[in-house]
Every structure is written in structure tokens, then in C-alpha cells.
């Protein structure tokens, strides 16, 4: 029998409606499961059981009256800590930030509360979200439930770990270069980085998106109904569209007739590990057998594009860190200080040239994808790496060598998802990226769900180590 903490959101809502389950007993199950897992993976921030149970009791009362608050009423959820929640400090993963209570819920948090979700906890991230790991000077080191010697990825580190470990069905992360899709890939879950502006966020920034982190496409589609509601605080948000998110399930036949590009070389960064390449090639064959036409693609990214974005972000971070008092600056992770300070000698011309790579990346991505309905690729060239390392290279001057497949779709504003497509011989998950044309978020969900229906059998979710 499926444990309550493992039930998907759709099943919970149906059970609440039929009065077969109560939000209180489900939240109690999730909290007990977190208590067993959390000493090993350290995925949470502001875990407050009594507050969660109070929300669950209020939800239970609404369901008993037949007056649910919204689509997610009573469903246990988590929110990444850089998404502000009223009254709570937002440390951004670093000991250098002053802990000031947030004045209001950021848009994604506000939408979850309006829909009645039970916010069980917030989840961890690395310093300033600038790492694809769970290494932080503020939070304990977050780890991967599939192998606690490995990291969960980042910067939505705790969200990926929480989803894989079963801290309830719904989790929200953010992504500016791969921060949703990388932990999703390495933790074996599903995530969608939507089109820029599809989910309002505050503060907005070039390429920055919030998105769902779930075990299934179905739960992600349910979250999109809630998170995509309008919010005027995001100056980069898209005009609201009444998208039929519930139509995510078009079956495996959704693949029939599609022209899908297969990208196995990012054109920059680390080479793709053989087991990752093999898993993506198997996924392509399954899609082909389901009626899609698979067309190999040549790389459209270059090392100059990746390096330019890296160097511009170094300068941005260097300026931000230099603005801090010395005592606070010294609290930032040394790896990030070394990375940021390496930009100190850059000339104005060098900074402009670096910044121009964002536009060149956008143009190249859109042009390369225009010949296809969708593009599939690895999410990352590698699988989960040692938890203590800040990045796969462990080199502050080569920090982004693993984001060549993910970052272009932030800059082109295209939706891109990560869905599990296999495992290494050691049992580590491997993610398949599915990217669509700008604004085709529902199509990406439909293709991802179609792949869920035809992919190789999934392994059982990891369980907490014995006490």
C-alpha cells in the first residue's frame, strides 16, 4: 500500500473530497517521514511542524464544510527559501545576509497559500543560488536521497532532495541557468522551467523562473494551474492566459508525427558521460518507436557563450560582494568569493563582450530549435557528484561547465523540463531534458507525460537509512 506521504496531489485531493483521508493525517505522515529522513539529507529550512498542522486542521475543517479554499487545499508542499514568505527571513543560502523578516509573500508563495496548500517547510539552497550543489554557509549540507554521499544538485537543492525523499508531493524551486532541472535530473524527479514570465516571480531577473518540482508530470500540471495566475509585481511576467493545464495527458500518441531534435553535444563544457548519453539515446529510440521522427542536431552553444555568461555573472557578484561590509563579505563561501573576485580586473570592453553572449545564446537557441517541434538532450553531462563539492569541476574558474544543455533555454525564454530517463549502474538517476518553443509550456508537459508512459520502469523511491 502506498504510504500517505508518497501519494500524489491528485490522489490526495480526490481522497479529501470523498472524506477518505484528512489533511491532518496526511500532514502527520509527511512530518514523521521528514523526521526520519532529515538527519541524513538536510533538505529543509524553517521546518515548523506545529504551524503545518495548524494549516492542516484549517484545511480539514474546510473540507468537512464542503468548502475547499482552492485546487491544492490540504496538500503538503515546500517552497525554496529564496521565495519570500511573509514574516520569515530570506537568507539566500549564505551567512552573509542579514536576516530581515519578509514584508509579504512572493508571488509563488502567495498563490500556494491562496490555493490552500499546507506549507510544511522551506527548502535549502547554496550561497546566493550560485552553485549546482547543496553547499551553503547558512544551511547544513544538503544531500541526495539516492546516495547520501552525493549532492542533490542546485541551486534548488533542498527542493530536489525533498521531492525524491517524499516530503509531500509539491515543491517549488527557481532556475536561472538550470537550478530546477539539474536537481530534478540528479534526484530522479520531474521539473518544468516554464517560459520566462509564465509564473510571476519577485524579484524578476533575466532568465529567472520559478517552477514545480514533483514526482510526476500530473502534479506539476496541477501546480501550474495555481502558479501561473497573474501578479503585477513581476514586471517581466507574460499576459495571463487561461491555459488548459489539465489537458497534460494526451497519451503516448502525443509523440506521433512530432519532429524532435536530439542534442547529444552541448558544444561547450564537460563531455557527456557514457551512461548519460546511452540513457538519452534509449529515450530517443522509445520516442521514435512511438511515432516521433528523431533528428540528430549539431551543437549551437559555444564555449565563448558559456564563458561570457560566466564572466558577466562573476562581475555582477563581484560588485555585489564589494558592496558588503568586510565582516559580512568574509562569511561568503570562499569558492564563490574566489569566483567573483576573479572579475576584478575586467575592462569595460570585456564586460560588454561578456554580456553580449546572453543575446548570442538566445539567438542561437531559437534558430537551432526552430526546425523542430521539441528538442531532447541530457539535462547535464554528468550525474550527481560528491556532496561536499561546490561544482562538478571543483574549480572556481571553471564553475559552469555542466550547464551547457540547460542555460540556453533560460536565455531564449523557452520552456524546458527534466524527466527521469534511467539510472547508472550505481543507481543514480539520469534526466532527459525536453525543450519546446517559447510559450509552449503545456506542449512540453504533454510530451513529458507521453514519455512517462513509455519509458523504462522506474525504481522504487529511496527510503531513509535504518535508525
Amino acid at each position: 500500500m502506498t504510504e500517505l506521504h508518497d501519494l500524489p496531489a491528485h490522489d490526495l485531493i480526490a481522497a479529501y473530497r470523498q472524506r477518505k483521508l484528512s489533511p491532518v493525517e496526511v500532514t502527520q505522515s509527511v512530518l514523521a517521514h521528514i523526521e526520519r529522513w532529515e538527519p541524513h539529507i538536510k533538505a529543509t529550512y524553517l521546518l515548523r511542524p506545529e504551524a503545518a498542522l495548524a494549516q492542516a486542521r484549517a484545511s480539514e475543517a474546510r473540507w468537512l464544510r464542503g468548502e475547499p479554499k482552492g485546487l491544492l487545499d490540504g496538500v503538503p508542499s515546500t517552497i525554496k527559501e529564496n521565495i519570500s514568505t511573509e514574516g520569515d527571513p530570506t537568507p539566500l543560502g549564505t551567512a552573509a545576509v542579514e536576516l530581515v523578516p519578509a514584508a509579504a509573500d512572493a508571488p509563488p508563495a502567495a498563490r500556494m497559500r491562496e490555493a490552500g496548500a499546507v506549507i510544511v517547510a522551506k527548502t535549502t539552497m547554496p550561497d546566493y543560488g550560485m552553485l549546482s550543489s547543496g553547499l551553503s554557509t547558512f544551511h547544513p549540507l544538503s544531500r541526495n536521497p539516492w546516495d547520501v554521499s552525493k549532492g542533490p544538485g542546485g541551486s534548488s537543492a533542498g527542493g530536489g532532495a525533498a521531492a525524491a525523499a517524499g516530503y509531500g508531493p509539491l515543491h517549488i524551486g527557481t532556475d536561472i541557468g538550470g537550478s530546477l532541472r539539474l536537481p530534478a535530473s540528479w534526484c530522479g524527479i520531474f521539473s518544468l522551467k516554464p517560459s520566462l514570465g509564465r509564473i510571476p516571480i519577485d524579484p524578476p531577473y533575466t532568465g529567472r523562473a520559478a517552477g514545480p518540482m514533483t514526482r510526476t508530470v500530473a502534479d506539476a500540471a496541477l501546480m501550474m494551474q495555481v502558479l501561473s495566475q497573474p501578479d503585477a509585481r513581476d514586471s517581466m511576467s507574460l499576459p495571463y492566459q487561461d491555459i488548459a493545464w489539465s489537458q497534460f495527458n494526451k497519451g503516448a500518441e502525443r509523440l506521433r508525427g512530432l519532429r524532435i531534435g536530439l542534442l547529444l553535444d552541448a558544444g561547450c563544457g564537460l563531455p557527456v558521460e557514457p551512461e548519460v548519453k546511452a540513457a538519452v539515446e534509449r529515450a530517443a529510440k522509445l520516442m521514435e518507436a512511438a511515432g516521433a521522427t528523431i533528428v540528430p542536431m549539431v551543437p549551437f552553444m559555444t564555449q565563448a557563450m558559456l564563458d561570457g555568461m560566466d564572466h558577466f555573472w562573476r562581475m555582477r557578484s563581484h560588485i555585489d560582494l564589494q558592496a558588503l561590509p568586510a565582516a559580512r563579505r568574509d562569511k561568503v563561501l570562499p569558492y564563490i568569493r574566489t569566483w567573483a573576485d576573479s572579475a576584478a580586473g575586467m575592462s569595460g570592453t570585456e564586460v560588454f563582450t561578456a554580456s553580449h553572449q546572453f543575446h548570442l545564446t538566445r539567438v542561437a537557441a531559437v534558430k537551432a530549435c526552430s526546425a523542430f517541434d521539441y528538442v531532447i538532450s541530457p539535462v547535464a553531462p554528468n550525474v550527481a557528484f560528491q556532496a561536499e563539492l561546490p561544482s562538478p569541476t571543483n574549480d572556481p574558474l571553471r564553475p559552469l561547465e555542466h550547464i551547457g544543455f540547460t542555460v540556453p533555454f533560460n536565455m531564449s525564454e523557452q520552456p524546458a523540463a527534466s524527466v527521469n530517463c534511467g539510472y547508472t549502474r550505481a543507481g543514480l538517476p539520469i534526466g532527459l531534458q525536453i525543450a519546446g518553443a517559447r510559450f509552449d509550456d503545456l506542449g512540453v508537459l504533454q510530451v513529458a507525460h507521453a514519455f512517462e508512459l513509455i519509458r523504462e520502469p522506474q525504481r522504487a523511491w529511496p527510503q531513509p537509512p535504518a535508525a
Side-chain angles (χ1 to χ4, degrees), residues 176-178 266-271 300-314 339 353-358 360-362 381 393 397-408 411:
I176 200 170
C268 57
L270 296 171
F300 57 85
M301 280 282 288
T302 66
Q303 191 66 41
M305 292 174 184
L306 185 63
D307 289 346
M309 289 186 279
D310 174 21
H311 293 162
F312 181 84
W313 282 331
R314 293 186 201 200
W339 170 73
T353 301
S355 70
H356 188 50
Q357 301 307 312
F358 290 92
L360 294 180
T361 298
R362 177 191 183 98
T393 61
L397 301 184
R398 293 178 60 236
L400 304 182
E401 299 293 287
H402 55 292
I403 70 168
F405 288 107
T406 52
V407 71
M411 300 312 132

Side-chain angles (χ1 to χ4, degrees), residues 51 70 87 97 131 159 166 180 182 201 210 212 232-233 269 277 293 300 327 349 362 367 416 418:
V97 168
L131 301 175
L180 282 162
L182 292 165
I201 193 168
R233 288 176 288 174
K277 181 181 179 183
T293 299
F300 57 85
T349 299
R362 177 191 183 98
K367 181 179 179 180
S418 174

Side-chain angles (χ1 to χ4, degrees), residues 128-211:
Y128 296 109
M130 291 308 301
L131 301 175
S132 295
S133 80
L135 187 60
S136 164
T137 55
F138 182 84
H139 302 294
L141 178 63
S142 298
R143 295 177 179 273
N144 193 318
W146 291 92
D147 179 345
V148 295
S149 74
K150 309 296 185 186
S155 65
S156 304
Y167 289 18
L170 306 181
H171 311 270
I172 306 175
T174 62
D175 188 319
I176 200 170
S179 291
L180 282 162
R181 289 156 289 161
L182 292 165
S185 174
W186 295 333
C187 291
I189 64 168
F190 177 79
S191 185
L192 172 69
K193 181 210 74 67
S195 298
L196 184 71
R198 179 68 72 203
I199 294 176
I201 193 168
D202 184 27
Y205 186 77
T206 301
R208 185 173 188 242

